[in-house]
Amino acid sequence: MSTAAPDSRARAAARATTLQHDSVPMRLYHEAKRLGTWDPRNIDLRADAQDWTRFSVVERDVLLRLTVLFQAAEESMTRDVLPLIMTVVREDRLEEELFLTTFLSEEARHTEFFRRVLDEVCRQSGDLQRYQTPSFRRLFAERLPAAMAALLTDPSPLAQARALVTYTLVGEGVLGEAGYHVYTTALEGRRAMPGFREGLRRAQQDEDRHMAYGLFLLSRLVGADPKVWDAVSRCMDELLPLTLGVVSEFFEPYTPMPFGLRLEDTVQYAIARFSSRWADLEEARERGSPAPTADPAGPARRVADETVRDVVAWMSRELDSTPVGMQGDSGTVYTLRVGDSSTSALLITREVLDYHSAADVIGALRTHAVPRRLRERRVRLTCLRAGGKIIVQPPDEGP
């Protein structure tokens, strides 16, 4: 007769005596105990309420819109993280379970914090769903819940990777950081709303730990199963258009945008964060591999420069007498400005230029009537690569 395997409770009891305090999850857990126990109700918002009255109507609307989106995103993340915790429990990953208890409580705290700002500073306690744009809803009301809920029936490494990319890399690591960047640009220069800025600082500290955990787990999943990398790559490609859609739709109602905020700067920041997260994963994937004998960045950069010059020349011909200028690139984005007033611009991501020829790029721009749209309307368009194809965001809405 075979010996019965110990039940999960017996395994858990034995496991609890051998915590690995040097592991990444436990280090994050100990850090969360030191730094993540702030209370949103202890932050003094009285000066913030006074500062709020000094903003113009448009400035208040921008800050209200961003705060509504943050509160909705944090609420979604609080609801949706539970399947990940259940997956970790089923796999008896106790150190990660301990950290994720702080993860959940911090998401709940962020939800409370942004709700308190809406209620006590913005004086907005009603239904604010009008500020949620189509791309935002698709990401936080459809893609994120679906990716996380899938873990309840499919806790495979591939499903875990898709959930983590959606939740930590994109939701927190790209859009979250882009949102904090907008807040900083709007508020730091005026030294306005000190209580709100203090809460943002604490929330961002929490998010840094969440991101560190997400990268740790993704790195482990990628190392254990080569197929995970393809799943991560596909998910990143699918979510990049939505990410930039959220950013561009945030700017659409405002001409001009107050606080000196510019769409192209924010898009560049978001893409830089996206590229940074991707680089973190690639570094983890290749850790331990022999270093390359030559750095390919130089030749690749020259090819990208030649491609964008060909695109600029084509745009100039298509636009006839309308001036076209190229702004210095940030390493991840090239900005083509159209017209003397620079009211229209085309942002082309470096990835498009790395993977596609000038003829391919020009063909995509011609298909989407980009020259006409830039000439006839004050518009900001982004040319990016997703799913192996060139797309233009936002899409053409017709004549």
Side-chain angles (χ1 to χ4, degrees), residues 18 58 90 297 346 364 375:
T18 55
V58 177
R90 284 196 301 265
L346 171 67
R375 181 177 54 240

Side-chain angles (χ1 to χ4, degrees), residues 97-376:
E97 182 182 351
L98 292 179
F99 170 68
L100 286 173
T101 63
T102 70
F103 194 122
L104 175 57
S105 67
E106 286 163 1
E107 295 292 6
R109 190 177 298 119
H110 302 166
T111 301
E112 178 190 0
F113 170 68
F114 285 107
R115 184 69 258 176
R116 184 179 174 220
V117 171
L118 289 173
D119 291 342
E120 299 180 22
V121 177
C122 306
R123 302 291 182 180
Q124 298 284 337
S125 57
D127 183 5
L128 299 170
Q129 290 190 10
R130 66 184 184 277
Y131 286 119
Q132 296 183 24
T133 62
S135 293
F136 181 89
R137 291 194 189 97
R138 283 186 61 198
L139 182 58
F140 288 100
E142 297 176 18
R143 294 297 298 269
L144 178 64
M148 300 303 290
L151 296 176
L152 297 174
T153 56
D154 175 20
S156 66
L158 295 180
Q160 290 185 48
R162 286 190 290 266
L164 285 163
V165 167
T166 308
Y167 193 109
T168 59
L169 260 65
V170 173
E172 294 183 317
V174 178
L175 278 176
E177 291 188 20
Y180 286 120
H181 173 72
V182 171
Y183 273 132
T184 299
T185 303
L187 300 177
E188 289 289 347
R190 301 190 187 184
R191 309 301 298 171
M193 301 180 71
F196 188 36
R197 286 189 286 114
E198 171 65 13
L200 291 173
R201 183 186 67 80
R202 290 180 177 274
Q204 197 166 13
Q205 280 186 335
D206 296 341
E207 303 290 9
D208 287 344
R209 287 191 297 276
H210 302 177
M211 178 58 53
Y213 171 75
L215 289 171
F216 155 78
L217 184 49
L218 279 169
S219 300
R220 183 167 64 76
L221 293 169
V222 167
D225 185 351
K227 295 179 181 178
V228 170
W229 183 258
D230 291 336
V232 169
S233 180
R234 286 194 301 272
C235 193
M236 294 281 275
D237 277 349
E238 292 168 3
L239 293 177
L240 179 56
L242 271 183
T243 302
L244 297 184
V246 172
V247 175
S248 63
E249 289 164 6
F250 178 82
F251 275 76
E252 283 177 2
Y254 308 102
T255 305
M257 171 66 83
F259 301 114
L261 292 164
R262 297 181 347 127
L263 173 61
E264 50 264 45
D265 293 340
T266 308
V267 168
Q268 287 183 355
Y269 186 88
I271 291 177
R273 303 318 301 154
F274 203 92
S275 299
S276 175
R277 298 312 176 198
W278 187 250
D280 289 339
L281 277 178
E282 288 185 322
E283 181 181 354
R285 181 195 186 199
E286 297 175 1
R287 191 173 293 123
S289 301
T293 56
D295 182 5
R301 182 60 171 269
R302 286 195 296 273
V303 171
D305 289 344
E306 292 171 2
T307 301
V308 79
R309 280 196 295 270
D310 290 343
V311 172
V312 171
W314 173 78
M315 287 279 289
S316 298
R317 292 193 298 271
E318 291 291 307
L319 294 171
D320 195 14
S321 59
T322 305
V324 179
M326 185 180 73
Q327 180 178 305
D329 67 281
S330 65
T332 56
V333 178
Y334 291 79
T335 302
L336 279 65
R337 297 192 178 280
V338 176
D340 292 324
S341 60
S342 298
T343 55
S344 293
L346 171 67
L347 282 66
I348 304 179
T349 67
R350 173 69 184 277
E351 190 179 24
V352 168
L353 305 173
D354 285 341
Y355 284 91
H356 300 277
S357 68
D360 291 336
V361 177
I362 290 170
L365 298 181
R366 180 182 288 115
T367 297
H368 290 280
V370 167
R372 174 183 61 77
R373 295 164 69 188
L374 291 173
R375 181 177 54 240
E376 295 179 356

